[in-house]
Amino acid sequence: MINSMMIMAAAAEQEQANPLIPNIWEIVVTSVGFLVLMFIVIKFVVPAMEKSYVERRDAIEGGLERAQAAQAEAAQLKNNYEQLLQEARTEASQIREQARTEAAQIVAEARQNASAEASRISEQASVQIAAERQQAVSALHTEVGTLATSLASKIVGEALDDDARSQRVVDRFLADLEQEQASTTSAGATE
């Protein structure tokens, strides 16, 4: 019975209630629930999200700053490397130029030494040839003198044992021979 009365009272109430206007207790309960939920979100959820947002922003900005610092350091290292490379190239160029200069100097000294040695050898050979020629001429004079004396004594028919006289005959013969040879050489040169 109580049950049936309640059902009837609820049905009567529904007939009198306007469906566009909500029940006051529903508005109060919903508002309190909303305010509790809003308080929890503002007090606990929003600060946690804000903290997470700040940490992320700092991590990203820190990463960017570190990347920029690393990039600046890399650029500095690159500049240092390029400067060292340029200095090494300059030094290598100077060393090559110095080596070329030293090589040219060594070659010039070697040529000068070779020329001096060649001149010394040539001069020594000329002196030796002149000495041998003089020795050959002396030997030839003596031989020619002996032959000339012997030939002259056969032609004249008397012995030319006198050394002074035989020496004069030999000298005159050689002088005539040299004169004849000089005239033949000068005649060959004019032709």
Side-chain angles (χ1 to χ4, degrees), residues 1-176:
M1 239 183 49
I2 293 186
N3 239 351
S4 60
M5 267 172 82
M6 277 179 140
I7 293 175
M8 283 191 169
E13 223 178 272
Q14 275 185 359
E15 289 176 4
Q16 293 175 1
N18 187 354
L20 295 177
I21 299 176
N23 189 353
I24 195 100
W25 289 106
E26 285 180 0
I27 293 174
V28 170
V29 170
T30 306
S31 297
V32 168
F34 179 74
L35 289 176
V36 168
L37 184 62
M38 184 77 112
F39 175 76
I40 292 172
V41 167
I42 290 173
K43 189 71 175 171
F44 299 109
V45 176
V46 169
M49 291 180 83
E50 185 66 28
K51 181 180 176 187
S52 174
Y53 169 75
V54 168
E55 287 174 356
R56 262 191 147 163
R57 187 185 70 212
D58 290 345
I60 291 171
E61 287 176 356
L64 289 175
E65 289 173 2
R66 284 191 303 273
Q68 288 173 346
Q71 190 175 18
E73 184 179 350
Q76 180 66 28
L77 289 173
K78 180 183 176 191
N79 289 339
N80 290 344
Y81 170 75
E82 288 175 352
Q83 183 179 5
L84 289 174
L85 184 62
Q86 183 62 33
E87 289 174 2
R89 286 179 179 161
T90 303
E91 185 177 348
S93 175
Q94 290 173 348
I95 290 171
R96 280 193 305 267
E97 190 61 35
Q98 183 179 4
R100 284 186 189 123
T101 304
E102 288 176 2
Q105 184 179 7
I106 290 171
V107 167
E109 287 176 6
R111 283 183 181 162
Q112 185 179 7
N113 290 343
S115 176
E117 184 67 19
S119 296
R120 185 188 64 77
I121 290 172
S122 176
E123 186 178 317
Q124 186 178 9
S126 295
V127 167
Q128 187 176 358
I129 289 170
E132 288 178 3
R133 183 171 186 255
Q134 187 61 34
Q135 186 179 8
V137 167
S138 294
L140 189 59
H141 276 247
T142 305
E143 186 69 29
V144 168
T146 306
L147 287 173
T149 306
S150 130
L151 182 63
S153 53
K154 286 182 184 175
I155 292 175
V156 174
E158 64 182 71
L160 298 172
D161 292 331
D162 185 13
D163 282 338
R165 195 166 63 180
S166 66
Q167 186 64 33
R168 280 194 310 264
V169 170
V170 169
D171 287 341
R172 190 176 40 213
F173 177 73
L174 289 175
D176 289 342

